[in-house]
Amino acid sequence: MFSFFCFCFFKQLDRIIIHQQVELLEALLGTETCSKYEIKNHLGQRVYFAVEENGCFDRNFCSPIRSFTIRIADNTGREVITVNRPLRCNSCWFPCFLQELEVQSPPGTIAGYVVQNWDPFLPKFTIQNESKEDVLKIIGPYATCGCFEDVDFEVKALNEMSTIGKISKYWSGFVNNVFTNTANFGIQVPVDLDVRIKAVMIGACFLIDLMFFENSFDGF
């Protein structure tokens, strides 16, 4: 059963903002620390707080391909969503290395999956429901460097013809991108999209961040 509090939040939502918090230690020393995110509504009000859990070795030596668990809690500290990603190599040239991520809401109950699809040129993912049935596609651009501009990953119907939303990596400015790896994302989906799939879209956003922007400086 989908969490009542998640249901209330996601039901009327068509835009989600995810803001990664600046880690001073990471900025000064260049070491990877556990990522922390604020999840906000379209008014910029924080409704959830997300914290990544993994080991120091994973963060600093396996960075973009590292396994992780991200726990998402509401403002009272109650965990409402869990995102799990196993350790896998990351290469578009080898289908056996494709990424997969599981989203639970409430924790312990599968809400859906994010599965990378093989393509030699474009970043492609499939959003699946709790039964691993395909629901939506996500297709990124040929280049994800995003020099001085936002980078959009389009959310499409299964036929890949019609676009119904997008996950956007917002360009944060020269200083922020050069001295930190922090990121700002926006998720836009239809307001009537299944609330469980909206939760899975948050997981997709985290996976896209780690795969394409963790060690990038938006073109620098």
Side-chain angles (χ1 to χ4, degrees), residues 110-113 128-135 196-197:
I110 303 297
Y113 302 87
Q128 299 178 331
N129 63 17
E130 69 278 11
S131 301
K132 288 211 163 187
E133 298 169 334
D134 295 351
V135 178
R196 291 167 295 186
I197 299 303

Side-chain angles (χ1 to χ4, degrees), residues 55-75:
C56 179
F57 179 88
D58 285 342
R59 291 195 303 272
N60 289 285
F61 295 98
C62 303
S63 187
I65 63 169
R66 66 182 182 264
S67 62
F68 64 70
T69 295
I70 293 180
R71 302 191 185 278
I72 302 175
D74 61 22
N75 288 326

